Amino acid sequence: MTSTSPLERAGLRPRVDKALAAFLATQRARLLAIDPALDEVADAMEAFVLGGGKRLRPAFAYWGYRGAGGFDSDQVVTAVAALELVQASALIHDDLMDRSDTRRGEPAVHRRFAARHTALGWRGGATAFGDSAAVLLGDLAMVWSDEMLHSCGLDPADLARARVAFDEMRTEVTVGQYLDVLTQATGDTSVERAAKVARYKSASYTVERPLLLGAALAGASAQLSAAYSAFGLAIGEAFQLRDDLLGVFGDPAQTGKPAGDDLREGKRTYLVAAAFAALDEAGRAALEAGLGDPGLDAVGVDRLRALIRGSGALARTEERIATLTTQALAALAAADVEPEARAVLHDLADAATRRTG
């Protein structure tokens, strides 16, 4: 093991940032050639994409590629960096759907454009303008993710193999988001529904599909791809469960989101579903009454936290994370993975499941 963050191994994080910055600079020139007013679109996209993020998805893709025998190159770094544009699209749309005010401590994209509308005294409603801008910027990020991948400079045959994982990932995260919205609308509190949403909204998209993308770029065997799936789905689910815990119990200074935001948004996560399953009738009624209340204050957040903790759901979720992590690492240990990549993937799994922000 090394004390260096697994996200920094092979200089990956700054190389991903460099590739993204170069791509976005090219896109800025294209936008300004269309109309100078698109300068704000370029500014917002650069600020959002380059202003933060763990770069977990490129890291899993890159080390999945290296683990399958792939050789390092700037072209492959550019290819895996395209996953950050998929992530940007998902987050911009997610913030809009959740009516979130902030992302990484900065105004969410829809809030940024609404504030611009207000500051410049434009016509119509500022909120509607901000919402429209966020929809379009999220769409643009998804379009650009495809362009960045397929202009990365790798052999077209390698890219063709990777296309399946890339397309599956983008479909799964989109329908996973819909299932999340649907679950909030229907009030489904089952653990089974929460697990399905976690799988498609996050687990597959965060770890499994990036790993399979990297494996495909390297021409990996079916056996290794299957092992990556077993490892990736378990770690991806554990990652989402950690996210669920942080959404309720996380420190805003670490998460960049207001305390208890997931409670105000009424998210029917595994954590919440486990609480509903364990609480008595009065407890379920109290949790249902507060969940999804956008005006929930600090006292209300603490009250719901106490209900969830007292139900045993917090401990159950931590146990589930530990179980999934153990399963994932066993699958990784049994796979025919290049030694350096195996060590980094192990550390990435640890970083994904033990994070505080």
Side-chain angles (χ1 to χ4, degrees), residues 83-132:
L83 295 174
E84 284 299 303
L85 294 174
V86 181
Q87 169 74 337
S89 174
L91 292 181
I92 291 168
H93 286 162
D94 193 49
D95 287 344
L96 173 60
M97 290 185 288
D98 292 341
R99 309 309 308 177
S100 298
D101 291 328
T102 60
R103 168 67 62 179
R104 302 171 187 144
E106 297 294 329
V109 168
H110 61 286
R111 298 298 190 206
R112 173 183 176 135
F113 280 87
R116 180 172 174 79
H117 182 287
T118 299
L120 295 175
W122 290 341
R123 297 179 181 181
T127 298
F129 176 79
D131 291 357
S132 298

Side-chain angles (χ1 to χ4, degrees), residues 3-209:
S3 60
T4 304
S5 165
L7 299 169
E8 304 290 345
R9 294 288 294 276
L12 187 60
R13 184 166 181 158
R15 293 171 70 195
V16 166
D17 287 346
K18 181 180 178 181
L20 287 166
F23 179 83
L24 291 174
T26 299
Q27 299 304 94
R28 174 186 287 276
R30 290 176 65 186
L31 293 181
L32 294 182
I34 295 170
D35 195 294
L38 295 175
D39 187 52
E40 176 62 17
V41 171
D43 284 347
M45 197 73 84
E46 288 179 358
F48 194 89
V49 174
L50 302 178
K54 303 171 192 66
R55 310 307 191 217
L56 265 177
R57 291 160 188 83
F60 276 115
Y62 175 83
W63 289 106
Y65 168 83
R66 291 286 302 275
F71 295 99
D72 180 49
S73 70
D74 289 342
Q75 289 79 13
V76 79
V77 170
T78 299
V80 301
L83 295 174
E84 284 299 303
L85 294 174
V86 181
Q87 169 74 337
S89 174
L91 292 181
I92 291 168
H93 286 162
D94 193 49
D95 287 344
L96 173 60
M97 290 185 288
D98 292 341
R99 309 309 308 177
S100 298
D101 291 328
T102 60
R103 168 67 62 179
R104 302 171 187 144
E106 297 294 329
V109 168
H110 61 286
R111 298 298 190 206
R112 173 183 176 135
F113 280 87
R116 180 172 174 79
H117 182 287
T118 299
L120 295 175
W122 290 341
R123 297 179 181 181
T127 298
F129 176 79
D131 291 357
S132 298
V135 169
L136 294 168
L137 262 73
D139 289 351
L140 187 61
M142 188 67 84
V143 170
W144 283 356
S145 72
D146 194 83
E147 182 176 343
M148 186 172 189
L149 175 64
H150 291 283
S151 63
C152 70
L154 288 176
D155 189 293
D158 296 337
L159 291 173
R161 285 196 307 269
R163 182 84 210 187
V164 174
F166 191 66
D167 289 346
E168 288 286 347
M169 178 191 65
R170 294 187 299 165
T171 294
E172 286 170 352
V173 69
T174 303
V175 299
Q177 281 279 28
Y178 174 76
L179 290 176
D180 189 23
V181 171
L182 178 65
T183 300
Q184 291 182 61
T186 61
D188 191 333
T189 60
S190 69
V191 172
E192 293 76 18
R193 170 58 72 174
K196 179 173 281 190
V197 170
R199 173 174 181 172
Y200 288 103
K201 181 183 176 182
S202 183
S204 178
Y205 151 69
T206 300
V207 186
E208 184 201 18
R209 294 298 178 188

Side-chain angles (χ1 to χ4, degrees), residues 301-313:
V301 167
D302 286 342
R303 184 172 62 250
L304 295 189
R305 283 173 169 169
L307 277 171
I308 293 169
R309 186 182 286 108
S311 74

